[in-house]
């Protein structure tokens, strides 16, 4: 059954609306509206250049999956050829494939295979259902097993309905090594961890041989080395990332791991950091980095990475800079090696699998590098790489030219791209206070220990504060502050505290978010400040409620900078505050309170002056140093410039003139 209904705006004739709207709006307007009005975005695709079309299509596709699956079904035949279509949630992919199976079986099959490649673990667990829904279910199963052999082994060894069915199918699917998983499942001389490691190596068993694979499975260090040696296999790459992530979790929790770090080569330790980055913490990074530095003494970076691993170079340097260990790294290298390493981080961006993501990573490295020699090395690499076509490198050159204003060749390369950049130096309060001079803010909390504690601290900061009142409505609270004829209304859901054994109904975070939405709609209020609190993995739920009219978005979760692009896809003009590291209520609550007081008592927030005051307040608190204000948010600044650049592709050449409403309102100020 397909869920969702068409956007009410489309009760108007689609042809009439298309004709009226496509002539009135540029790519920039579609960029702003496609996440909330996918009908409009799809209808206007034909007026866009190929690059613009690809970007808008993707944003509109994922919006349609949430807002109107019937619309997604209409565009499925085109979407299924896109390299990112596998990112469609597996359950949603099943709905769409089932709906189109009778009329377009090849489209249904392509979608399900792509989704299985993206979500192989989920596909393995759901295969009994697929076997009843789809005639090509064995192909889905084969794709999932090929990428997750250890997961297939674990399921097949269990005495469950799924386990028994999977054991039966392992001998039938077209994977020559699949029956080996049955053999491993029936062996009694292997403990569980060894069996899982051995199963993960089965895709390269013909290269290793049985004895070598078994020896590696029994020894964590040899296993790690084997994964590294065969990491170009998609299945092995997944196993490598999972192994590294688990090791970093162990290091965070107990400062020890099953792997002796001192026995690892420098290449292995760097790979551990790069592949395990999703579970990175300060404790884990420091443990690995401490073991790494002595092994780097006098070494040359050219031996650390293969020639096609520039993405790994960028991730490694991003981590080193994030944890402020660049000086220690440079002191361990031979003279000139640091410049070569930083220079290499600027290469192979436009040819990477995800150019925009890699561009952002490169920009972050530029922004946090202070050494002039390193900046010069990066500039030289950017100039050389741009010879095959400026494009993304022109945008990167502009960011570098701010740091190296006397490098004429870089300045010349950057010059055509300067109109696309705007640094948000201030936030005018008139943009936030609407009718009645009211600014409406939404705070999002979640039902876990972190969410409950964050909510308690939030409440403590306002409950008895001068000039503020708090009204508790059970599942949500309303906080009001007023000054100088202006008023801030904060609406926040109350996270369910399982420890206190609440008995109220509607205790899920989403239920309570919906209650807040209903209350705002009842009052006719639209929030323009959005605050996400809690863990980063809850952010996707918060983004469902993020509206295009947002003017300020605050990501208080850890590593919020990694989600800047998702925010901008939904709120084009929003300024952002996010973290490069850990988020903490010890920073979030006093900082948010200070922002709100500033909004009430001034006509604008000058971010540079405001942030300087906060730096004095928080001292040299290492947590605060990871918070990034709007005027220093290189990722948001670069993304906004990229979208402006994309908006002008295909237009006639000549002086750049930005669309109305996008003119640069303030010059770039040098750091």
């Amino acid at each position: 059954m397909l869920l969702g209904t068409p956007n009410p705006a489309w009760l108007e004739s689609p042809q009439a609306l298309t004709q009226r709207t496509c002539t009135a709006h540029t790519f920039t307007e579609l960029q702003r509206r496609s996440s909330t009005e996918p009908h409009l975005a799809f209808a206007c695709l034909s007026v866009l250049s190929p690059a613009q079309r690809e970007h808008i299509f993707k944003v509109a596709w994922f919006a349609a999956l949430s807002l109107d699956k019937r619309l997604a079904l209409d565009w499925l035949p085109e979407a299924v050829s896109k390299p990112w279509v596998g990112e469609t949630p597996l359950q949603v992919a099943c709905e769409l494939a089932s709906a189109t199976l009778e009329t377009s079986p090849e489209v249904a099959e392509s979608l399900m295979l792509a989704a299985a490649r993206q979500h192989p673990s989920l596909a393995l667990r759901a295969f009994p259902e697929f076997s009843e829904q789809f005639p090509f279910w064995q192909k889905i199963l084969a794709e999932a097993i090929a990428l997750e052999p250890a997961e297939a082994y674990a399921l097949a060894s269990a005495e469950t309905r799924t386990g028994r069915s999977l054991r039966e199918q392992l001998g039938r699917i077209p994977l020559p090594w699949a029956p080996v998983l049955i053999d491993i499942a029936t062996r009694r001389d292997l403990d569980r961890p060894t069996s899982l490691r051995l199963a993960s190596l089965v895709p390269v068993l013909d290269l290793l041989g049985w004895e070598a694979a078994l020896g590696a499975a029994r020894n964590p260090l040899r296993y790690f080395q084997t994964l590294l040696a065969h990491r170009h296999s998609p299945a092995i790459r997944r196993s490598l990332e999972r192994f590294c992530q688990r090791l970093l979790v162990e290091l965070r929790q107990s400062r020890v791991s099953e792997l002796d770090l001192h026995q690892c080569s420098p290449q292995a330790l760097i790979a551990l950091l790069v592949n395990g980055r999703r579970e990175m913490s300060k404790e884990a990074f420091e443990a690995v980095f401490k073991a790494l530095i002595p092994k780097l003494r006098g070494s040359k970076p050219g031996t650390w990475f293969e020639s096609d691993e520039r993405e790994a170079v960028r991730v490694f340097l991003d981590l080193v800079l994030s944890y402020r260990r660049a000086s220690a790294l440079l002191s361990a290298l031979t003279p000139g090696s640091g410049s070569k390493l930083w220079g290499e981080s600027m290469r192979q961006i436009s040819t990477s699998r995800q150019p925009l993501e890699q561009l952002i990573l490169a920009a972050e490295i530029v922004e946090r590098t202070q050494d002039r020699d390193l900046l010069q090395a990066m500039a030289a690499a950017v100039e050389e790489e741009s010879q095959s076509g400026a494009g993304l490198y022109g945008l990167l050159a502009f960011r570098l030219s701010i740091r190296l204003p006397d490098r004429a060749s870089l300045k010349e390369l950057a010059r055509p791209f300067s109109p696309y950049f705007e640094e948000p130096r201030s936030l005018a309060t008139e943009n936030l206070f609407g009718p009645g001079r009211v600014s409406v803010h939404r705070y999002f909390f979640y039902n876990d220990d972190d969410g409950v504690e964050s909510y308690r601290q939030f409440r403590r900061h306002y409950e008895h504060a001068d000039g503020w009142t708090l009204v508790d409505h059970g599942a949500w609270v309303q906080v009001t502050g007023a000054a100088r004829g202006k008023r801030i209304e904060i609406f926040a859901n109350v996270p369910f505290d399982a420890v206190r054994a609440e008995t109220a109904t509607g205790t899920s975070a989403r239920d309570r978010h919906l209650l807040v939405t209903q209350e705002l709609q009842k009052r006719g209020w639209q929030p323009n400040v959005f605050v996400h609190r809690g863990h980063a993995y809850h952010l996707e739920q918060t983004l469902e409620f993020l509206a295009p009219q947002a003017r300020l978005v605050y990501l208080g979760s850890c590593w919020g900078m990694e989600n800047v692009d998702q925010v901008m896809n939904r709120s084009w003009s929003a300024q952002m505050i996010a973290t490069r590291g850990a988020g903490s209520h010890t920073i979030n609550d006093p900082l948010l309170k200070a922002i709100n007081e500033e909004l009430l008592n001034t006509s604008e927030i000058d971010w540079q002056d405001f942030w300087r005051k906060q730096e004095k307040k928080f001292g040299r608190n290492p947590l605060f140093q990871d918070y990034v204000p709007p005027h220093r948010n290189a990722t948001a600044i670069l993304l906004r410039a990229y979208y402006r650049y994309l908006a002008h592709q295909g237009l006639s050449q000549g002086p750049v003139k930005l669309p109305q409403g996008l003119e640069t309102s303030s010059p770039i100020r040098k750091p």
Side-chain angles (χ1 to χ4, degrees), residues 179-316:
V180 178
L181 296 176
I182 301 177
D183 297 337
I184 297 173
T186 58
R187 290 190 62 151
R188 297 291 177 261
D189 60 329
L190 302 176
D191 58 30
R192 181 74 167 179
T194 300
S195 297
L196 285 167
R197 288 194 286 263
L198 182 58
S200 72
L201 296 175
V202 167
V204 291
L205 192 59
D206 58 332
L207 300 175
L208 293 174
W210 179 262
E211 291 303 320
L214 186 57
R218 285 174 167 155
N219 183 297
L221 178 58
R222 285 182 60 187
Y223 177 68
F224 186 27
Q225 293 168 337
T226 302
L227 293 176
L228 287 173
H230 297 276
R231 62 186 179 277
H232 293 296
S233 159
I236 297 299
R237 168 67 71 176
R238 296 178 71 91
S239 296
L240 174 63
E241 291 176 353
R242 189 177 298 110
F243 181 74
C244 292
Q245 289 165 9
R246 188 174 70 252
L247 289 177
L248 294 182
V249 169
E250 292 174 358
L251 288 170
R252 180 180 71 235
Q253 294 175 343
S254 62
R255 307 296 174 89
V256 297
S257 74
E258 63 176 318
L259 191 68
D260 184 349
L261 300 179
H262 297 286
Q263 292 184 9
C264 295
S265 67
Q267 294 88 346
L269 291 173
I270 291 172
L272 174 57
L273 293 172
V274 170
N275 290 283
R277 65 189 180 278
R278 292 189 182 279
E279 292 293 345
M280 191 61 67
S281 65
K282 182 178 173 58
E283 297 81 5
F285 178 85
E286 290 296 341
V288 179
F289 195 75
K290 182 179 179 180
L292 174 63
I293 286 298
K295 297 176 182 290
L296 298 182
R297 303 280 181 207
S299 68
K300 296 182 179 180
T303 62
W304 305 351
F305 305 95
E306 293 186 7
S307 60
D308 61 345
E309 292 187 319
R310 298 305 197 288
E311 293 183 26
V313 176
R314 285 186 279 275
V315 172
F316 175 62

Side-chain angles (χ1 to χ4, degrees), residues 592-650:
L592 284 163
K593 181 83 177 307
I595 290 172
N596 288 336
E597 296 286 359
E598 196 82 359
L599 290 174
L600 286 173
N601 291 285
T602 65
S603 60
E604 71 171 12
I605 297 180
D606 182 305
W607 287 118
Q608 184 162 295
D609 291 342
F610 175 81
W611 214 254
R612 190 180 296 118
K613 294 175 186 175
Q614 303 311 308
E615 287 171 340
K616 290 180 180 178
K617 180 197 299 185
F618 290 106
R620 296 194 60 79
N621 186 323
L623 291 175
F624 180 72
Q625 293 176 37
D626 283 333
Y627 281 70
V628 182
H631 69 294
R632 296 181 190 167
N633 194 326
T635 297
I637 292 170
L638 186 72
L639 271 173
R640 197 168 283 116
Y642 168 75
Y643 291 134
R644 289 189 177 115
Y645 162 74
L646 195 58
H648 289 84
Q649 298 313 291

Side-chain angles (χ1 to χ4, degrees), residues 395-408:
L395 298 169
L396 197 55
F398 181 81
R399 296 304 296 175
L400 268 165
S401 70
I402 298 173
R403 311 295 304 281
L404 297 170
D406 56 347
R407 188 175 176 113

Side-chain angles (χ1 to χ4, degrees), residues 42 61 64-65 68-77 79 92 96:
F42 282 130
W61 170 258
L65 295 182
D68 185 359
K69 291 190 180 70
R70 296 182 187 279
L71 177 65
L73 188 62
D74 290 341
W75 287 90
L76 178 58
V92 176
L96 295 176

Side-chain angles (χ1 to χ4, degrees), residues 424 426-427 530 532 539 543 546 550-557 559-579 595 607 611 627-637 639-640:
S426 63
L427 178 64
F530 291 79
H532 171 77
L539 180 61
L543 291 178
L546 187 59
R551 290 294 176 264
L552 179 63
V553 176
Y554 185 105
L555 302 183
S557 55
W559 301 98
M561 287 293 291
E562 295 184 355
N563 305 109
V564 170
D565 59 331
Q566 296 181 58
V567 171
M568 291 193 64
N569 280 339
R570 292 165 172 80
S571 300
W572 162 259
S573 57
Q575 296 185 17
M576 289 186 61
I577 296 174
T579 64
I595 290 172
W607 287 118
W611 214 254
Y627 281 70
V628 182
H631 69 294
R632 296 181 190 167
N633 194 326
T635 297
I637 292 170
L639 271 173
R640 197 168 283 116

Side-chain angles (χ1 to χ4, degrees), residues 448-554:
D448 52 30
D449 291 345
D450 185 70
V452 169
E453 180 60 25
S454 293
Y455 170 75
R456 288 176 183 164
Q457 294 300 323
F458 155 75
R459 183 166 183 144
R460 184 176 68 82
H461 273 75
Y462 289 100
E463 198 160 18
H464 303 295
D466 292 341
W468 295 87
T469 60
L470 186 149
V471 180
D472 193 330
H473 295 273
W476 56 278
V477 296
Q478 180 181 354
V479 178
T480 304
R484 299 177 180 269
K486 294 186 287 188
R487 193 168 88 246
I488 288 177
E489 298 284 358
I490 302 174
F491 289 78
N493 66 293
V494 177
F496 174 63
D497 188 348
V499 174
R500 296 189 177 186
E502 296 179 10
T503 57
T505 58
T507 56
S508 78
R510 180 172 175 76
D511 286 344
R512 296 187 171 192
H513 293 157
L514 290 172
L515 285 175
V516 172
T517 298
Q518 292 168 7
E519 183 64 28
L520 290 171
Q521 290 174 342
K522 189 188 305 180
R523 301 179 186 215
W525 283 351
Q526 291 187 330
N528 53 26
V529 175
F530 291 79
V531 177
H532 171 77
R533 300 291 299 272
H535 291 297
Y537 49 74
H538 293 306
L539 180 61
E540 187 173 342
Q541 297 180 60
T542 296
L543 291 178
E544 290 183 30
F545 297 90
L546 187 59
Q549 74 269 9
R551 290 294 176 264
L552 179 63
V553 176
Y554 185 105

Side-chain angles (χ1 to χ4, degrees), residues 415-416 419-420 648 651-659:
R415 184 184 57 77
Y420 303 126
H648 289 84
L651 299 182
S652 59
Q653 297 301 308
V656 175
K657 180 177 173 60
L658 296 179

